[in-house]
Amino acid sequence: MIETLKTYFAQQRDQHIEELKDLLRIPSVSAVAEHQPDMIRCAEWVAAALNQAGLEHVEIMPTAGHPVVYADWLHAPGKPTVLVYGHYDVQPAEPLELWSTPPFEPVIQDNKLFARGSTDDKGQVMLYVKAVEAFLRTQGSLPVNLKFCLEGEEEIASKNLPPFVEAQAEKLQADVIVLSDTQMQALGKPALMYGLRGLAAFEITVEGANSDLHSGLFGGAVQNPIHALTKLLSSFHDENGHVAVEGFYDRVIELSEKERESFKQVAPDPDKIKKDLQVDSLYGEKGFTFYEQTTSRPTLEITSVSGGFQGEGIKPIIPNRASAKIACRLVAAQVPDEIMDAVEAHIHANTPPGVTIQLDRQLRGNPFITPIDEPVMVAAASAYEETFGVFPVYTRSGGSVPIIEVFGRVLDAPVVLLGFGVPGENLHAPNEHFHLENWDNGLETISRFWLKLGATDK
């Protein structure tokens, strides 16, 4: 069957690429109000493409912001249901003068398709649409049940998608969620990203006397909020780089040896990092490599400190207020509010005399992980290997994409990040492009993945 599908993809390649170009011509910039008509036009284009591919129950569903495009095909009784997530919005194209070709006039050069959205994420979304078309045109059916949920706000933090998923949980229910909005290690070297860090961010405010005080009259006799704050901040880490907040690591899932070995294949060179950053040494939690520290370990970073007179010159006062902002990156299975509870308890236990301290909780995002031995991950790895001829490396990201965790938690299903982007494709930057080699490989990998899922009963 896979050979029949590959033949279809080859025969229809030029037509499929032209259709992708049509999609890329729509400037669906979600962040800019003047592009609101383009967002509607793009949603309508995507809905028509899903319908043309043979999907059913195609809907453009409203949210408090840009709409979600839904479609399904549910005629594989007893087989798993796959929910495909992606986004049709794109980043602004500015600065326009840095583009070699106009951002919304797609061109192919050196087997690369240049246009805003080509790799992030229209090109990768269209892989799934064309895979559906190929199965239905050549086989008359799909090996699995399929649902599509394509949003228009990913580039503005998906602020309206979580409540949409909560409200439409029954409609979106699936056995596995898959998305292609991530990168491989390099051309010809696939990678399965299976974990993302979460986020807990808050502001600490220290207050002392009821007003700023003359440092000559009160200095040395009244607590200085900046002194108190710096003492508190220094208590958050020990000399080995560990976070010294009681309970901070309680829920952390330690890396397996298989994971640590896989990380060695993708870990960057620490000496190159030092050279690139122009620092003479790196700093971090002892006992872990740079890659482990930045992807699989939780952190507590002080992102800003303020207090006292900030103008030119020196104003000799004891300020009555000081503050600091902190961002914690979390890993599975840490819970943001539990971490902030632990930090708040640490603050109360370490508050110097003469000041009061408050913690204002501001940002929360749960971490995400799909274990690499999960059956759907095994199937994805096998599909990559059969297409590319090499087994994928397993990677984690140090960043956070909260909506992925929302899907997994609300729908209670594993998430597979089946990415076909390549480092250096300039997503979010001028001259964004998509390697068309991965258009071909992506279609085959997705098809193999669905066939493997369809070979097992639900």
Side-chain angles (χ1 to χ4, degrees), residues 106-167:
V107 297
I108 296 176
Q109 297 175 351
D110 300 324
N111 204 31
K112 303 171 188 175
L113 178 57
F114 285 80
R116 171 58 87 228
S118 55
T119 189
D120 181 23
D121 180 40
K122 291 177 178 179
Q124 300 200 59
V125 165
M126 283 295 285
L127 291 172
Y128 290 89
V129 179
K130 292 309 172 185
V132 169
E133 177 188 301
F135 272 101
L136 294 181
R137 299 277 174 88
T138 66
Q139 310 300 317
S141 64
L142 293 166
V144 293
N145 300 292
L146 274 181
K147 298 178 180 180
F148 278 72
C149 178
L150 307 178
E151 69 156 323
E153 297 188 342
E154 195 274 345
E155 300 294 4
I156 52 174
S158 301
K159 56 187 176 183
N160 290 302
L161 194 58
F164 177 88
V165 174
E166 296 271 3

Side-chain angles (χ1 to χ4, degrees), residues 309-315:
F309 177 67
Q310 302 295 313
E312 184 178 354
I314 296 176
K315 184 179 181 181

Side-chain angles (χ1 to χ4, degrees), residues 273-346:
I273 294 170
K274 287 189 289 186
K275 182 179 179 180
D276 290 345
L277 300 180
Q278 298 181 358
V279 296
D280 59 9
S281 64
L282 298 176
Y283 168 84
E285 188 182 6
K286 295 293 188 294
F288 299 92
T289 67
F290 174 88
Y291 190 76
E292 291 168 349
Q293 290 166 347
T294 56
T295 62
S296 65
R297 297 298 294 172
T299 64
L300 187 155
E301 294 292 341
I302 302 160
T303 63
S304 73
V305 177
S306 62
F309 177 67
Q310 302 295 313
E312 184 178 354
I314 296 176
K315 184 179 181 181
I317 60 166
I318 299 172
N320 74 320
R321 182 187 179 96
S323 64
K325 295 179 181 180
I326 292 176
C328 298
R329 295 290 179 170
L330 310 181
V331 298
Q334 291 179 300
V335 179
D337 274 314
E338 288 185 3
I339 292 301
M340 288 190 276
D341 286 343
V343 171
E344 191 159 11
H346 180 90

Side-chain angles (χ1 to χ4, degrees), residues 384-456:
Y384 266 137
E385 183 178 27
E386 290 176 5
T387 298
F388 287 87
V390 294
F391 196 82
V393 293
Y394 294 107
T395 65
R396 291 197 194 187
S397 171
S400 305
V401 186
I403 192 57
I404 293 177
E405 184 278 332
V406 171
F407 271 112
R409 172 173 47 82
V410 174
L411 304 183
D412 191 24
V415 181
V416 178
L417 305 180
L418 204 67
F420 301 101
V422 176
E425 288 184 329
N426 291 2
L427 67 166
H428 293 201
N431 300 314
E432 179 182 350
H433 57 277
F434 185 48
H435 285 73
L436 292 180
E437 173 184 328
N438 278 347
W439 172 266
D440 304 316
N441 288 329
L443 289 168
E444 181 179 343
T445 303
I446 291 167
S447 300
R448 290 184 182 277
F449 181 50
W450 289 351
L451 287 168
K452 291 179 185 300
L453 293 180
T456 60

